[in-house]
Amino acid sequence: MHGKSALALSLLAAFLGPASAETPFPAAIAAPGETPVITAHAIGTQVYECKAGADGKLAWTFREPAATLTAGDKIVARHYAGPTWEFSDGSAVVGKAIGNAPGTTANDIAWLKLDVVSHRGSGTVSDVDMVQRINTVGGVLAGECDKPGTTRAMPYSADYVFLRKG
């Protein structure tokens, strides 16, 4: 193994700690005491809008997600502005980000921890109180924008873990 590769693996192992059956989460998005209810894989887009920032300069600003979530080979939910996750059984949750950790590469949106701030319906996520977004791929929009109101959608995928206390 080359020196740089060995060093990178050593640093990665030190950061992740001992191997375990569960995905090691960065502290900022860890959810101790929470139990997974369902984990679903999302494929969709992160939608951005060209807007003037506080400094008056135009920049891409995140507007909303648009994704389909699957568990196994079955579509189980859709994900949209709110952020909202609406399941096919009629249950839904809206979250508010309370923690984040960088994605694996500069092109990957952040991993998130979200508190559930509202519930709707009865079903899969009725008793969920937290959501984690992990294993993100893509979704970051870089570069300049020059026309206010213009939107762009960047493809992404992620896993969403829906958790409840206990």
Side-chain angles (χ1 to χ4, degrees):
M1 189 176 291
H2 294 94
K4 286 184 180 179
S5 296
L7 177 60
L9 285 174
S10 297
L11 290 172
L12 182 63
F15 173 73
L16 295 177
S20 72
E22 294 182 17
T23 302
F25 294 113
I29 68 158
E34 298 282 325
T35 302
V37 172
I38 185 172
T39 298
H41 183 68
I43 296 177
T45 60
Q46 296 283 300
V47 180
Y48 295 85
E49 183 175 354
C50 184
K51 288 185 171 183
D55 59 3
K57 293 181 181 177
L58 292 176
W60 291 110
T61 304
F62 176 71
R63 189 172 90 179
E64 63 191 339
T68 300
L69 278 66
T70 57
D73 60 355
K74 184 178 173 187
I75 294 175
V76 295
R78 61 190 189 103
H79 178 38
Y80 54 89
T84 302
W85 295 269
E86 183 177 330
F87 279 72
S88 50
D89 63 9
S91 63
V93 292
V94 176
K96 177 183 179 186
I98 59 168
N100 68 74
T104 305
T105 75
N107 294 321
D108 303 331
I109 55 176
W111 290 23
L112 296 177
K113 177 167 77 171
L114 304 102
D115 263 345
V116 169
V117 295
S118 70
H119 292 84
R120 185 173 71 237
S122 178
T124 305
V125 292
S126 296
D127 63 350
V128 164
D129 66 340
M130 188 168 292
V131 180
Q132 290 169 314
R133 178 177 75 190
I134 61 172
N135 303 327
T136 58
V137 176
V140 171
L141 177 58
E144 297 180 15
C145 63
D146 58 7
K147 186 177 178 190
T150 304
T151 60
R152 265 189 78 193
M154 293 300 293
Y156 90 106
S157 66
D159 292 325
Y160 289 94
V161 183
F162 298 86
L163 305 143
R164 65 175 161 72
K165 290 195 186 319

